Amino acid sequence: MNYETIGISVLWIFLYGYLIVASIDFGAGFFSYYSFITGRKHLVHNIIERYLSPVWEVTNVFLIFFMVGIIGFFPDTAYYYGTALLIPGSVAIILLALRGSYYAFSNYGSKDNKFYMLIYGATGLLIPASLSTVLTISEGGFIMEKNGKVLFLYGDLFRSPYSWAVVLLAIVSVLYISSMFLTYYAAKARDNKALEVVRGYALGWSMPTILCSLLVFFAINGHNPQHFGRMVDLSWMFAASFLCFLIAIFLVWKRRGYGWAFLFVMLQFAFAFFGYGASHLPYILYPYITLYHNFTSDTMALSLIIAFIAGLLLLIPSLALLMKLFLFDASYVQGKSSKKG
Amino acid sequence: MHYDPVLYSRMLTELTLAFHIIFATIGVGVPLMIALAEWTAIKRNDPYYSLMARRWARGFVITVAVGVVTGTAIGLQLSLLWPSFMRIAGQAIALPLFLETFAFFFEAIFLGIYLYTWDRFKKPMMHFLLLIPVVIGSSASAFFITTVNAFMNTPQGFKLQNGIITDIQPLVAMFNPATPTKVAHVLASSYMTSAFILAAIAAFSLLKKKDTLYHRKALKLTMTAALVFSLSTALVGDLSGKFLAKYQPEKLAAAEWHFETSENAPLVLGGFLTKDNEIKYGLKIPYALSILAHGSPTAEVQGLNETPVKERPPLYVHYIFDMMVSIGIFLTLLGFIYLWAQRRAHKNHGRYPRWLLRLITWSGPLAMLGIECGWVYAEVGRQPWILRGFMKTTEGATTSTHVDTMLVLFCFLYILLGLTVIKVLGKLFKNNDVQEELIARGIEGGEA
């Protein structure tokens, strides 16, 4: 395998990791706020807090990792995306900043502050929407290079049906992934009341998710037919994704195998996400940046890959410890173990 | 004001960094202080220190959150505001940027575990061990990100011809001449500042709530650490001066208003500059600049006149440099005064003079001001370059047309975050009384 393929695969895996952990996080923040204002906080809040508290910082790192990695492997992305994304990027930063800090304020500082919780909950849905515009832009048609200057066509982005389909899918799937995870976590905690609530959310958001996925699929055809063609070539991956979706929903519907159900949700998104990514290649930003024309030097690529492997050797055991202590520790999950200091 | 993307990009970057540095400094230094407290608790079997670690950690989480989000902001802003620079930097120094995220990852995982495992292990040592990766992670991320900044000051390990970069050597770029002094100065000053901030809290409590054993122990631990770290900061600061004289003479010359290359160069404190570049009312310390630059009172120091006018840094950096150095000297002296007072306090039922407690209360904010000054000097002192000798700042900035609006937005964001942090931390401080907590945890006595 050449450096380019290794590089983009590493980055795509990290983006997928972010997609899963951030969705759980963003959705949970929203559900937490929603249950608070609808007076059902006592039912689900504990579950959400127990899972989220030790991991919120880790979620953020996945995103930074992807950002730094893509600039390292494909330095031209900094130039094109950097110039074009000033406004959507800044908006995303502000939302992330508000969400991260108000999470800490409401969890460690002033508990049950309505304003803090509103900021935390509402930004959870806006962030996926603003981040997903990057994927939209990568399809081409929204960036123009003129007289050596990069121009971003805001109007076209706002008028594009494809761009709205992606935003819709981002929001809906965040709620779906998150509620599927919380269903699993509530079942593990043997908290039946919470389970009933979050299971309802999960089933409720399943249909919209699949409908929005179909919408995006066809919107790509309208926006970038070439890409759509390559997606059709990989149609088995999207079929596999749909099959995983059916299994996950079936299990939750039958009230059994919640752990397996969440695993199939992860597979559902893995197939769709990697199918989308593979068909997007060789373009990183259509038509300006490809995998091969704007790659970093071989020396840097090699040292990044070595650093990446060394980093993983450190990260995987650490993450395993984190999961062992908080995700797979029965007494912690059930809330019997001691709380924070 | 006329719209100028370069000016606004600089202002927005300055704003974000100035805000981030407060939390980044705490983020690097406080874990080490928490570790010192927990270690002392285990070694002396003294529950007071373990409570200290717990209380510090509680406030620390709030600052970490803001540090994380503003760090994310600056990480993304680098590409948004300086796309042409990042195109080059992305090829030459992607390695330390990449490694920094690993260090941060490592820290984030173990901090999460540490905060939620108080009392979960039978052996207190286990909980202490979780803190080691946090300390290593936070200091390592400071190390890596500082090498990036060092690279901007003394770029090497690549060739740049007509905008095309070749012959990249990642490790040579990372370990450039500025790296050792910069990293050492950043680490030492962060440890020092965090120690003074925690000392300030202890001193403030002693002033307000009469005398408690808990706060006296906290003051002793933090002030002892603060003295050690301020001495090391001063030592590294001296090495940094020698580094500047050799590699960035224009930066040192601008700080000292040293125009003519000369031997026996004096150091100027304060004063102001006339239109003809004459220094008025400055206090001149003979030979001191020669000593600072080359370690010998008679050595020749290069003056600013050797640098073309267009490549000179602005001359106001003199005041900022002076402020940083005076704060550093004052704080080091304060550390020694504390030592003296502590000896006497033994005879005096452990009481400290109130004027000293007041000075220590001010030392925390002062140390942070020193950090800000140091960074402004380091950054403005390398103007007009973004990559010294390779790329001017004006060539690196975005051409985007909305930077001014973004500047306003981020201003509001940081004001909001800053005010909420103060409010939340203040509440945390008020709602958790030490005495009550000492009694609640069954740590005997309380009042001493």
Side-chain angles (χ1 to χ4, degrees):
Chain A
M1 218 171 10
N2 54 17
Y3 288 147
E4 288 90 343
T5 320
I6 298 176
I8 195 71
S9 309
V10 163
L11 292 175
W12 208 244
I13 290 168
F14 262 85
L15 199 57
Y16 170 73
Y18 182 68
L19 177 96
I20 298 293
V21 290
S23 293
I24 294 175
D25 189 22
F26 293 143
F30 177 76
F31 289 131
S32 178
Y33 177 67
Y34 180 74
S35 67
F36 180 67
I37 52 169
T38 52
R40 279 182 292 181
K41 182 186 173 222
H42 56 287
L43 291 179
V44 294
H45 185 77
N46 282 341
I47 290 284
I48 292 174
E49 198 200 318
R50 223 174 291 146
Y51 164 72
L52 281 184
S53 299
V55 300
W56 65 270
E57 233 194 318
V58 178
T59 312
N60 232 359
V61 192
F62 275 94
L63 178 66
I64 303 178
F65 200 99
F66 176 76
M67 285 293 309
V68 170
I70 197 164
I71 291 166
F73 281 110
F74 307 97
D76 274 18
T77 52
Y79 180 67
Y80 285 98
Y81 280 113
T83 313
L85 286 175
L86 180 70
I87 293 183
S90 299
V91 170
I93 296 172
I94 290 175
L95 292 171
L96 280 169
L98 287 173
R99 192 182 133 78
S101 31
Y102 280 87
Y103 172 74
F105 298 157
S106 77
N107 251 283
Y108 302 97
S110 317
K111 287 225 180 246
D112 294 342
N113 184 315
K114 257 192 199 169
F115 174 69
Y116 294 179
M117 286 196 72
L118 170 69
I119 290 191
Y120 167 60
T123 48
L125 289 191
L126 296 173
I127 295 169
S130 72
L131 287 180
S132 65
T133 52
V134 182
L135 285 183
T136 312
I137 291 168
S138 74
E139 291 295 329
F142 305 108
I143 289 180
M144 249 177 48
E145 202 172 19
K146 213 174 172 181
N147 307 329
K149 277 191 178 184
V150 177
L151 295 175
F152 183 38
L153 313 168
Y154 290 96
D156 289 6
L157 185 73
F158 269 99
R159 281 191 297 272
S160 154
Y162 171 63
S163 126
W164 288 107
V166 172
V167 167
L168 206 62
L169 177 63
I171 295 178
V172 173
S173 41
V174 158
L175 294 172
Y176 168 69
I177 294 174
S178 184
S179 52
M180 287 299 263
F181 175 80
L182 290 173
T183 307
Y184 158 64
Y185 202 68
K188 207 170 155 55
R190 298 200 201 116
D191 186 339
N192 285 324
K193 284 181 188 155
L195 179 62
E196 279 315 298
V197 179
V198 288
R199 179 175 169 271
Y201 294 158
L203 293 174
W205 287 108
S206 60
M207 279 325 278
T209 304
I210 228 56
L211 288 176
C212 289
S213 310
L214 285 173
L215 192 65
V216 169
F217 203 75
F218 290 113
I220 287 189
N221 189 21
H223 187 80
N224 186 342
Q226 256 189 312
H227 185 187
F228 183 78
R230 286 193 300 270
M231 279 173 85
V232 172
D233 294 340
L234 287 172
S235 52
W236 68 270
M237 292 188 86
F238 299 98
S241 169
F242 185 66
L243 192 67
C244 293
F245 166 78
L246 290 179
I247 297 172
I249 288 302
F250 176 76
L251 286 171
V252 171
W253 180 255
K254 285 282 175 195
R255 295 175 189 281
R256 61 175 190 228
Y258 290 115
W260 285 103
F262 186 69
L263 199 69
F264 276 103
V265 170
M266 282 173 66
L267 283 174
Q268 175 198 340
F269 279 87
F271 277 120
F273 193 69
F274 285 93
Y276 168 81
S279 59
H280 200 293
L281 293 180
Y283 292 104
I284 309 265
L285 170 62
Y286 182 83
Y288 296 106
I289 308 175
T290 70
L291 207 53
Y292 303 104
H293 287 117
N294 307 87
F295 194 62
T296 188
S297 68
D298 279 2
T299 6
M300 185 50 93
L302 184 66
S303 61
L304 285 180
I305 290 166
I306 293 171
F308 180 74
I309 293 168
L312 276 191
L313 289 178
L314 200 66
L315 276 190
I316 290 171
S318 320
L319 276 173
L321 181 66
L322 184 75
M323 299 226 262
K324 184 174 167 286
L325 285 173
F326 298 109
L327 205 53
F328 301 118
D329 184 285
S331 75
Y332 176 80
V333 174
Q334 290 166 19
K336 288 173 192 157
S337 163
S338 69
K339 293 201 77 182
K340 62 177 183 267
Chain B
M1 219 165 21
H2 169 69
Y3 179 79
D4 171 10
V6 180
L7 177 72
Y8 287 114
S9 294
R10 286 185 57 186
M11 284 167 73
L12 182 48
T13 310
E14 280 162 13
L15 179 74
T16 304
L17 277 174
F19 192 70
H20 175 64
I21 282 165
I22 299 175
F23 300 95
T25 304
I26 294 174
V28 172
V30 171
L32 184 67
M33 295 304 298
I34 297 176
L36 273 177
E38 263 221 273
W39 174 247
T40 316
I42 295 171
K43 217 176 67 180
R44 299 196 191 155
N45 198 16
D46 183 341
Y48 279 82
Y49 288 97
S50 141
L51 181 65
M52 212 177 284
R54 222 181 247 256
R55 290 174 63 89
W56 287 347
R58 218 180 280 152
F60 179 61
V61 194
I62 306 284
T63 62
V64 166
V66 183
V68 170
V69 299
T70 50
T72 312
I74 191 67
L76 296 173
Q77 270 178 0
L78 274 181
S79 303
L80 296 175
L81 299 174
W82 310 98
S84 308
F85 160 69
M86 281 306 277
R87 206 182 201 176
I88 306 287
Q91 307 201 31
I93 43 164
L95 184 64
L97 280 172
F98 201 61
L99 286 171
E100 197 236 347
T101 56
F102 270 118
F104 176 42
F105 220 139
F106 196 50
E107 180 198 346
I109 290 172
F110 281 92
L111 184 65
I113 299 178
Y114 177 80
L115 291 173
Y116 286 85
T117 48
W118 291 98
D119 306 327
R120 193 161 159 181
F121 303 109
K122 285 207 180 80
K123 282 188 192 161
M125 201 54 169
M126 286 292 288
H127 192 240
F128 170 77
L129 288 177
L130 287 171
L131 205 51
I132 291 179
V134 179
V135 173
I136 293 176
S138 59
S139 293
S141 60
F143 168 81
F144 290 123
I145 206 65
T146 310
T147 64
V148 174
N149 182 270
F151 170 83
M152 292 159 86
N153 280 281
T154 50
Q156 65 173 30
F158 69 101
K159 278 186 189 140
L160 188 64
Q161 271 159 347
N162 307 323
I164 294 165
I165 166 168
T166 51
D167 284 344
I168 296 157
Q169 298 165 280
L171 289 176
V172 176
M174 201 171 139
F175 293 98
N176 56 73
T179 296
T181 41
K182 266 212 182 256
V183 168
H185 202 54
V186 164
L187 287 178
S189 60
S190 300
Y191 298 150
M192 162 186 153
T193 303
S194 303
F196 274 114
I197 287 173
L198 295 173
I201 295 172
F204 181 74
S205 305
L206 283 174
L207 272 176
K208 289 272 156 186
K209 295 178 202 157
K210 287 177 272 169
D211 236 29
T212 61
L213 185 58
Y214 171 86
H215 288 119
R216 261 189 281 137
K217 288 189 176 192
L219 191 68
K220 190 175 170 193
L221 180 71
T222 50
M223 281 307 287
T224 313
L227 177 61
V228 174
F229 294 136
S230 42
L231 283 173
S232 28
T233 307
L235 187 75
V236 182
D238 179 60
L239 294 175
S240 306
K242 296 184 170 42
F243 155 79
L244 284 181
K246 191 167 176 195
Y247 291 95
Q248 288 179 296
E250 76 280 5
K251 199 180 198 173
L252 187 66
E256 286 307 324
W257 291 341
H258 183 65
F259 295 96
E260 295 289 337
T261 302
S262 65
E263 295 168 0
N264 311 332
L267 193 89
V268 184
L269 285 180
F272 73 92
L273 213 55
T274 63
K275 276 190 182 152
D276 320 315
N277 283 348
E278 290 208 16
I279 305 164
K280 289 240 163 119
Y281 308 116
L283 176 68
K284 284 191 182 179
I285 307 172
Y287 309 115
L289 185 58
S290 289
I291 297 175
L292 178 69
H294 301 289
S296 145
T298 54
E300 185 182 84
V301 182
Q302 186 182 322
L304 200 54
N305 289 347
E306 314 281 325
T307 311
V309 178
K310 281 190 174 169
E311 293 175 10
R312 286 183 199 171
L315 291 170
Y316 70 82
V317 293
H318 170 74
Y319 303 109
I320 294 162
F321 181 78
D322 273 7
M323 190 129 84
M324 170 187 81
V325 174
S326 342
I327 289 175
I329 292 171
F330 169 73
L331 291 178
T332 314
L333 286 177
L334 190 64
F336 282 112
I337 297 173
Y338 169 80
L339 265 193
W340 162 81
Q342 201 232 326
R343 291 238 171 126
R344 284 195 32 179
H346 264 304
K347 297 174 209 155
N348 207 1
H349 307 289
R351 280 180 210 283
Y352 294 101
R354 291 183 74 80
W355 59 267
L356 180 65
L357 292 178
R358 272 197 204 103
L359 281 182
I360 295 176
T361 306
W362 279 103
S363 73
L366 260 184
M368 194 55 88
L369 183 66
I371 294 269
E372 294 278 354
C373 288
W375 274 112
V376 173
Y377 169 60
E379 296 307 284
V380 178
R382 74 179 147 96
Q383 290 306 320
W385 301 102
I386 192 165
L387 276 177
R388 187 183 175 274
F390 287 95
M391 186 190 249
K392 293 259 174 79
T393 307
T394 43
E395 300 160 337
T398 182
T399 46
S400 202
T401 42
H402 299 281
V403 190
D404 48 350
T405 325
M406 295 303 119
L407 176 65
V408 176
L409 270 182
F410 276 96
C411 259
F412 282 123
L413 174 72
Y414 298 139
I415 292 173
L416 180 71
L417 287 185
L419 290 178
T420 326
V421 168
I422 294 172
K423 199 180 143 201
V424 170
L425 282 179
K427 222 174 158 185
L428 209 64
F429 197 64
K430 266 186 206 150
N431 290 354
N432 291 289
D433 186 66
V434 179
Q435 291 311 330
E436 285 170 23
E437 215 172 336
L438 283 167
I439 294 161
R441 292 194 181 279
I443 301 169
E444 55 171 338
E447 204 73 42

